[in-house]
Amino acid sequence: MADRSVEVHHTQLAGDLAGRVALLVATAEHETAAAGRACAELVAFCDRDLLPHAAAEEETLYPVAHDLPAARLLIDGMLAEHKRLAALVDALRTTGSAVQAAADGRALQVLFEEHLEKENALVLPLLAGAPDVSLSGLLAGMHELLGHGEEHGTAAEAATTAGGCGGACGCGGSDDTDVPELDVRDVPHAIRHATVFGALAAVPSGQSLVLVAPHDPLPLLGQIEDRHPGAFAVEYLQRGPEAWRLLLTHR
């Protein structure tokens, strides 16, 4: 059996990415400053978490898996996907259109989710079942490469508070007039909370996000408060029966 901890980490990454992409898509239509900030935060997340994760895999898991005859072609395909992921991040970094950024962000999300599914369902079990391979040792090596510093969020905060794109992409324009909306009713339950956390990470101080949930999200609100004590004011706009709408304002 593969180590469940890495699958949990994959779920967190997928949710964080989905939340940031959702916020970019929600703000892209109007080419506003919020779209630029969402684009910048998405790029910052990729530079800080997604791309280093891929690089760590290439240094630890993939060389060992490539030596397994059953996994060689699979790993060649996974490496090619890493290149496509990096190319999409570069496209986000240089785009001058919020609509194009939203399209690239959505493509990035779909490709990354499919990539993680193959890692969970194929790569990790092959490594776990191979003789003379210590999957736990390989994962420990990945953790050492990635580190566990407290600097996570610094780039995101800089990007989202700088205004506009923070230099990370070319989209963005006038000040915002609409509050972006994140509807998580169709988001898979496994990544729903992580998606909200990812979206909130891209909301700068003084700005708001409308959250649409299938039920009263009291457990989620408790987790948000635990993660960011006093940072978000909550106002209920609708209390069921089919949807709960909440205005979350970053103080």
Side-chain angles (χ1 to χ4, degrees):
M1 292 290 291
D3 189 334
R4 284 286 301 164
S5 65
V6 71
E7 295 187 22
V8 171
H9 181 58
H10 284 169
T11 298
Q12 182 66 47
L13 282 174
D16 281 346
L17 176 62
R20 288 164 170 84
V21 171
L23 190 62
L24 174 57
V25 170
T27 57
E29 180 180 356
H30 305 292
E31 297 278 352
T32 61
R37 288 192 297 266
C39 177
E41 161 55 23
L42 178 56
V43 171
F45 167 76
C46 292
D47 286 341
R48 186 178 68 246
D49 292 313
L50 190 151
L51 295 180
H53 179 84
E57 288 176 333
E58 291 183 16
E59 286 195 45
T60 57
L61 300 182
Y62 285 9
V64 176
H66 197 268
D67 288 339
L68 302 175
R72 189 162 297 138
L73 292 178
L74 171 62
I75 297 303
D76 286 342
M78 302 293 277
L79 289 168
E81 288 181 357
H82 279 185
K83 291 181 180 179
R84 290 200 293 273
L85 290 168
L88 284 167
V89 175
D90 284 339
L92 285 164
R93 200 187 311 277
T94 58
T95 186
S97 164
V99 172
Q100 184 60 51
D104 289 337
R106 180 60 178 149
L108 176 70
Q109 178 189 351
V110 171
L111 177 58
F112 189 60
E113 289 177 354
E114 292 177 349
H115 184 81
L116 293 183
E117 178 61 27
K118 282 185 279 191
E119 286 185 347
N120 291 341
L122 300 174
V123 178
L124 294 177
L126 283 170
L127 287 169
D132 303 322
V133 172
S134 171
L135 179 56
S136 61
L138 293 175
L139 294 177
M142 271 193 68
H143 294 157
E144 184 176 349
L145 286 173
L146 292 171
H148 300 280
E150 294 299 324
E151 68 276 10
H152 286 6
T154 301
E157 291 168 6
T160 55
T161 58
C165 292
C169 66
C171 58
S174 61
D175 290 338
D176 309 299
T177 57
D178 297 321
V179 177
E181 181 174 287
L182 176 65
D183 190 338
V184 298
R185 287 176 292 178
D186 293 329
V187 174
H189 188 269
I191 65 169
R192 187 176 295 165
H193 285 197
T195 298
V196 176
F197 299 148
L200 289 178
V203 177
S205 180
Q207 300 294 323
S208 301
L209 172 73
V210 172
L211 172 66
V212 183
H215 56 78
D216 193 349
L218 291 176
L220 173 62
L221 294 178
Q223 291 179 2
I224 293 171
E225 180 63 21
D226 288 342
R227 291 166 67 98
H228 309 285
F232 288 92
V234 179
E235 177 185 352
Y236 280 82
L237 305 178
Q238 178 183 346
R239 296 179 182 267
E242 296 181 357
W244 275 254
R245 294 168 54 86
L246 295 83
L247 181 68
L248 305 177
T249 301
H250 192 179
R251 294 188 173 106

